[in-house]
Every structure is written in C-alpha cells, then in structure tokens.
Amino acid sequence: MVKKLRCSFEECRLPVQRIVGDCTFCDGHFCSNHRLLEDHQCQNLEDVSGYPTPSQWWLVGLSGVLPEDMLADLLSQCKKAAFEQNAMQLNKERTQVIKTA
C-alpha cells in the first residue's frame, strides 16, 4: 500500500493537495490550509513591498539621473499621452447607431 503524503508544515498531518499543494520555491508538499506561500511561511518568499509599482518600473533607471520635479513632469506627460491615446482608440471603436424612419 502506498503511504499518503502528509503536509510539510510543522505539526500539520493533513493529506497534501495534489499539484496545487506543491511549492516550487521550497519543494514542500502542503495541505489546502498551507498551500499558499504566506500560509506555510515559505523560506524562499521574497519581500517585494519596497519595489516600485509596475507603472513606475521605467523610472528606476532615471531616479539618480534626473531631478525629482523633472521625473514627476515626465510621468504626468506620459500618463496624459496614454490617456489621450486610449480615448482616441475607444472613440474609433465606438458603435455607430443608424436611425431608420
């Protein structure tokens, strides 16, 4: 008889969840209660709270080169240009209603 795999979390003996319970970061096998990285306190979980937001990634290389006020102006110009481009695209895709008599 094949022995059932048990949760790798300390003092938890519940059966592991197949596929979704396998952690690729620490190679552990976890139950439904501990399958998430935060729940089993994964050793290889990296704290990314200090990283820039996805919309600010392009600013990372410019932070030491340009002054802060110039970066803020550049960011607002890019946001405005993106907004106008999206508005134009939505306007082109607008459905036209044809009135019949």
Side-chain angles (χ1 to χ4, degrees):
M1 183 179 219
V2 178
K3 186 178 176 182
K4 283 188 177 181
L5 288 175
R6 298 292 176 186
C7 182
S8 300
F9 193 71
E10 307 151 5
E11 299 185 26
C12 179
R13 303 311 314 151
L14 293 173
V16 300
Q17 290 284 313
R18 299 278 182 194
I19 301 171
V20 296
D22 297 337
C23 181
T24 56
F25 294 101
C26 64
D27 294 323
H29 305 286
F30 299 97
C31 66
S32 59
N33 296 333
H34 301 112
R35 68 183 181 87
L36 299 178
L37 298 172
E38 297 84 6
D39 292 337
H40 70 265
Q41 297 155 0
C42 187
Q43 307 296 330
N44 300 325
L45 182 61
E46 185 179 345
D47 183 18
V48 295
S49 60
Y51 289 167
T53 60
S55 64
Q56 296 173 332
W57 272 111
W58 65 276
L59 292 173
V60 170
L62 298 175
S63 62
V65 179
L66 297 174
E68 290 296 320
D69 58 337
M70 189 177 275
L71 282 175
D73 289 342
L74 193 57
L75 182 61
S76 66
Q77 288 173 4
C78 288
K79 283 183 178 180
K80 185 177 179 182
F83 178 81
E84 289 171 355
Q85 185 178 8
N86 287 339
M88 217 167 50
Q89 183 68 28
L90 287 172
N91 210 12
K92 281 197 305 191
E93 295 173 355
R94 181 180 244 168
T95 303
Q96 299 294 326
V97 178
I98 301 172
K99 293 185 178 180
T100 57

